[in-house]
């Protein structure tokens, strides 16, 4: 599936709920379904700067596609990073770098997060794009 198809799927999933308490619960459920991150990846280097909670993000390249793994010590944040991984993981660096992540606004995520969580969300997206840039640079130097 393309990044936009995955975003549309997320928008559909969230549109089933009118109440933000239900949407928060969906986020928490998504976070809880996520595989725990291997302890060896819970390093200072993998911590995302700018997040109030602790969020570790690991990126690996497999067959030209970036696979993200992450974990957070906060339930809602864990849900947010799992949404981002659902949309971006398994795509090429170029697809990630060129993606317009419209689902964040469409599901009303940014406006329903505290300012610090909103900054954290932007930091997560920025970090995922930085990984994509790094893998792209590494691939072009081969």
């Amino acid at each position: 599936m393309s990044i936009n198809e995955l975003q549309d799927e997320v928008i559909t999933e969230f549109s089933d709920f009118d109440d933000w308490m239900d949407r928060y619960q969906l986020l928490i459920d998504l976070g809880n379904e996520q595989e725990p991150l291997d302890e060896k990846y819970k390093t200072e280097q993998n911590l995302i700067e700018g997040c109030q909670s602790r969020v570790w993000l690991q990126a690996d390249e497999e067959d030209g596609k970036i696979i993200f793994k992450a974990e957070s010590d906060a339930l809602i944040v864990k849900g947010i990073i799992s949404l981002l991984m659902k949309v971006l993981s398994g795509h090429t660096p170029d697809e990630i770098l060129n993606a317009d992540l419209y689902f964040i606004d469409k599901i009303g995520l940014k406006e329903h997060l505290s300012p610090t969580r909103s900054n954290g969300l932007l930091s997560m997206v920025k970090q995922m794009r930085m990984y994509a840039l790094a893998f792209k640079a590494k691939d072009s130097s081969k």
Side-chain angles (χ1 to χ4, degrees):
M1 282 178 109
S2 74
I3 287 177
N4 285 356
E5 287 169 331
L6 289 163
Q7 290 191 85
D8 293 342
E9 199 174 81
V10 168
I11 292 165
T12 302
E13 202 173 341
F14 273 79
S15 68
D16 291 345
F17 302 101
D18 297 329
D19 183 356
W20 257 94
M21 292 316 288
D22 294 334
R23 288 181 175 194
Y24 283 131
Q25 190 57 53
L26 178 58
L27 271 177
I28 291 167
D29 293 345
L30 286 168
N32 286 334
E33 289 167 12
Q34 196 178 300
E35 290 283 310
L37 187 65
D38 194 315
E39 287 298 318
K40 70 180 177 190
Y41 296 128
K42 289 185 181 178
T43 62
E44 284 297 312
Q45 184 189 347
N46 282 350
L47 267 177
I48 296 179
E49 294 289 319
C51 284
Q52 188 180 10
S53 318
R54 293 165 62 84
V55 182
W56 295 271
L57 180 67
Q58 170 68 24
D60 297 294
E61 192 175 28
E62 293 174 18
D63 302 324
K65 295 183 183 336
I66 300 176
I67 307 300
F68 292 105
K69 295 182 183 116
E71 193 167 323
S72 173
D73 57 5
L75 290 174
I76 289 177
V77 177
K78 198 172 174 180
I80 293 168
I81 193 75
S82 55
L83 267 185
L84 290 170
M85 289 190 315
K86 179 178 182 170
V87 170
L88 295 175
S89 196
H91 293 281
T92 66
D94 277 334
E95 288 171 326
I96 292 167
L97 291 168
N98 297 325
D100 168 24
L101 298 178
Y102 57 83
F103 82 96
I104 294 168
D105 288 328
K106 281 263 171 56
I107 65 173
L109 193 54
K110 222 187 267 175
E111 68 205 47
H112 284 89
L113 294 176
S114 65
T116 50
R117 284 237 166 94
S118 239
N119 289 341
L121 168 65
L122 294 174
S123 297
M124 291 180 228
V125 171
K126 190 169 137 194
Q127 188 61 47
M128 292 172 114
R129 289 185 193 239
M130 291 301 287
Y131 274 123
L133 253 175
F135 282 120
K136 182 179 174 166
K138 194 181 86 176
D139 290 344
S140 64
S141 68
K142 284 183 183 171

